[in-house]
């Protein structure tokens, strides 16, 4: 499904419709299976995961399939089509975690199309959790993954050429402001404002968590990380407890935005622990966001972090520092993009 088509589906689900369903979700004792993903481009990701969830497949298979779907797309922030680091290299981060706390991750891996599947192999075939850089690539090749050519996608080439004009070390927080959003608005015309007040498209890391028909939770994250980062920089996405955490008793959470701030508070582990204490997914995400903002209020004005959580009942919720974070939900009742609440 192309971007135009999924944005249209999201647009047809009006915010009012989404709000009603969100409320229903909170009252329903158990909603399963269900998958929730960061951003509006989570819609086709969820659709892919749903094919597995709706046929009694596992949450683990579903989240891997969802992540693989977006890794195949040309996207600013995920996969080999993503924006490069300051040296012009695309380096990818990914992780996956299941209901038994099995987990695997790769960081700063180059020229591999499906880092999420390499992460799953790390989980299933090694005693380790995280492989990085050349070692991760070597492991991937040894396990049958193809080494892809080292070329930038056309949008990435353009964005990098633009960045090189100033070569400022100023990581782009809300990458949609670089023009991708305006381009999307042009393409989607009247549909875009249905869920973006200012017409921009806000997207970043893809994180998704799912609850399957037998009640098990799993999650996956995949990203090319912060655009124009220092070569070797790794964000929260492949760090278990930062970009993703799953506890089959309490719930699962994922994050998006400035990874450094998420790592500093072990963000998704914190969200899951708040759910264990009895907080709803939305309140748990809010409390984690508050933790970031409290640490450095001034800095928080300049960055974005969003958390997205799902509990054992299939209740979900999100919270972000700034306006603009949206997330996608797919269950038997819903197939919508919701706006996240925000603190600032
Ligand atoms: N949240 C993605 C990153 O900071 O790399």
């Amino acid at each position: 499904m192309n971007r135009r088509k999924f944005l249209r589906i999201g647009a047809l689900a009006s915010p009012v419709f989404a709000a009603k369903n969100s409320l229903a979700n909170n009252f329903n004792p158990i909603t399963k299976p269900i998958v929730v993903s960061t951003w509006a481009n989570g819609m086709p990701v969820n659709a892919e995961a749903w094919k597995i969830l709706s046929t009694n497949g596992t949450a683990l298979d579903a989240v891997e399939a969802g992540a693989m779907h977006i890794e195949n797309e040309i996207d600013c922030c995920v996969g080999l089509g993503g924006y490069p680091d300051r040296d012009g290299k695309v380096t990818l981060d990914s992780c996956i975690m299941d209901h038994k706390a099995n987990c695997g991750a790769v960081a700063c891996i180059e020229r591999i199309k499906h880092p999420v599947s390499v992460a799953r192999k790390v989980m299933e075939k090694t005693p380790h959790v995280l492989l990085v850089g050349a070692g991760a690539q070597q492991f991937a090749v040894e396990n049958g993954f193809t080494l892809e050519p080292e070329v930038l996608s056309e949008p990435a080439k353009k964005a990098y050429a633009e960045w090189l004009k100033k070569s400022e070390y100023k990581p782009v927080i809300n990458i949609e402001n670089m023009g991708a959003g305006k381009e999307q608005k042009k393409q989607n015309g009247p549909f875009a404002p249905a869920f973006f007040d200012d017409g921009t498209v806000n997207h970043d890391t893809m994180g998704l968590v799912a609850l399957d028909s037998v009640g098990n939770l799993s999650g996956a994250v995949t990203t090319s990380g912060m655009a124009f980062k220092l070569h070797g920089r790794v964000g929260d996405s492949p760090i278990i407890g930062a970009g993703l955490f799953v506890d089959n008793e309490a719930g699962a959470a994922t994050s998006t935005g400035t990874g450094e701030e998420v790592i500093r508070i072990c963000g998704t582990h914190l969200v899951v622990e708040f759910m264990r204490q009895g907080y709803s997914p939305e309140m748990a995400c809010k409390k984690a966001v508050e933790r970031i903002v409290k640490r450095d209020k001034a800095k928080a004005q300049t960055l974005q972090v969003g958390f997205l959580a799902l509990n054992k009942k299939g209740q979900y919720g999100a919270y972000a520092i700034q306006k603009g974070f949206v997330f996608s939900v797919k269950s038997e009742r819903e197939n919508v993009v919701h706006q996240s609440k925000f603190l600032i």
Side-chain angles (χ1 to χ4, degrees):
M1 188 186 291
N2 65 28
R3 205 178 280 268
R4 181 183 297 206
K5 203 164 164 194
F6 79 71
L7 284 169
R8 194 175 300 141
I9 290 169
L12 290 172
S14 72
V16 174
F17 175 75
K20 270 188 190 151
N21 276 293
S22 180
L23 207 59
N25 179 273
N26 285 328
F27 288 116
N28 194 355
I30 294 192
T31 303
K32 65 179 185 192
I34 182 168
V35 55
V36 298
S37 301
T38 52
W39 306 108
N41 53 0
M43 290 291 278
V45 166
N46 287 353
E48 213 53 39
W50 187 251
K51 286 181 195 163
I52 293 170
L53 291 172
S54 60
T55 50
N56 294 327
T58 66
L60 183 67
D61 285 341
V63 294
E64 184 188 8
M68 285 176 76
H69 176 82
I70 194 157
E71 287 171 349
N72 281 328
E73 301 282 299
I74 301 287
D75 187 287
C76 69
C77 313
V78 178
L80 291 177
Y83 288 0
D85 63 22
R86 65 188 328 201
D87 295 352
K89 291 183 182 304
V90 177
T91 68
L92 306 178
D93 300 334
S94 180
C95 73
I96 194 161
M97 189 167 189
D98 75 7
H99 61 291
K100 290 182 171 167
N102 295 311
C103 47
V106 289
C108 206
I109 191 170
E110 294 179 43
R111 300 176 59 190
I112 298 292
K113 195 169 190 178
H114 290 300
V116 70
S117 301
V118 185
R120 184 163 177 179
K121 280 268 188 294
V122 172
M123 173 176 101
E124 290 176 341
K125 297 221 154 159
T126 80
H128 309 306
V129 168
L130 173 62
L131 295 182
V132 306
Q137 190 190 69
Q138 183 188 330
F139 172 80
V141 171
E142 283 168 6
N143 280 276
F145 291 84
T146 305
L147 212 48
E148 304 290 339
E150 199 172 1
V151 284
L152 294 182
S153 66
E154 282 310 313
K157 225 183 276 179
K158 232 166 101 181
Y160 184 51
E162 198 54 39
W163 179 80
L164 279 175
K165 286 181 189 165
K166 286 191 185 162
S167 296
E168 277 178 327
Y169 184 60
K170 194 176 166 196
V172 179
I173 307 303
N174 281 317
I175 202 159
E176 72 281 10
N177 291 334
M178 287 186 65
K182 288 190 190 90
E183 189 54 33
Q184 285 295 327
K185 189 179 180 191
K186 243 191 299 177
Q187 282 179 22
N188 292 286
F191 295 110
F195 49 92
F196 301 111
D197 291 349
D198 60 359
T200 60
V201 175
N202 196 334
H203 54 119
D204 184 289
T205 307
M206 175 50 59
L208 65 159
V209 288
L211 179 69
D212 62 26
S213 55
V214 299
N216 285 328
L217 289 159
S218 287
V221 182
T222 185
T223 187
S224 50
M226 192 178 274
F228 320 125
K229 60 196 173 186
L230 276 175
H231 184 63
R233 178 264 186 191
V234 172
D236 58 322
S237 300
I239 309 294
I240 299 296
L244 175 70
F245 197 69
V246 177
D247 182 306
N248 215 40
E249 287 178 359
T254 187
S255 61
T256 183
T258 307
E260 283 77 0
E261 301 311 309
V262 179
I263 292 171
R264 281 188 234 283
I265 63 153
C266 296
T268 54
H269 182 262
L270 188 61
V271 171
V272 169
E273 288 308 302
F274 282 135
M275 287 195 283
R276 193 192 309 283
Q277 289 169 21
Y279 288 101
S280 69
E282 183 180 293
M283 272 310 289
C285 291
K286 184 180 184 197
K287 286 177 77 65
V289 166
E290 282 170 349
R291 187 74 64 92
I292 293 174
V293 174
K294 189 177 166 197
R295 200 184 69 76
D296 190 335
K297 279 200 183 73
K299 191 174 177 191
Q301 310 286 330
T302 67
L303 54 87
Q304 174 68 306
V305 167
F307 290 108
L308 173 61
L310 179 66
N311 69 13
K312 285 287 281 183
K313 292 180 182 167
Q315 296 167 328
Y316 57 80
Y319 225 90
I321 297 179
Q322 316 264 0
K323 184 179 177 183
F325 176 42
V326 299
F327 60 99
S328 305
V329 178
K330 173 70 187 148
S331 68
E332 256 177 17
R333 270 205 321 274
E334 286 188 283
N335 188 29
V336 291
V337 177
H338 289 286
Q339 302 222 26
S340 167
K341 291 185 186 164
F342 52 95
L343 209 60
I344 298 177

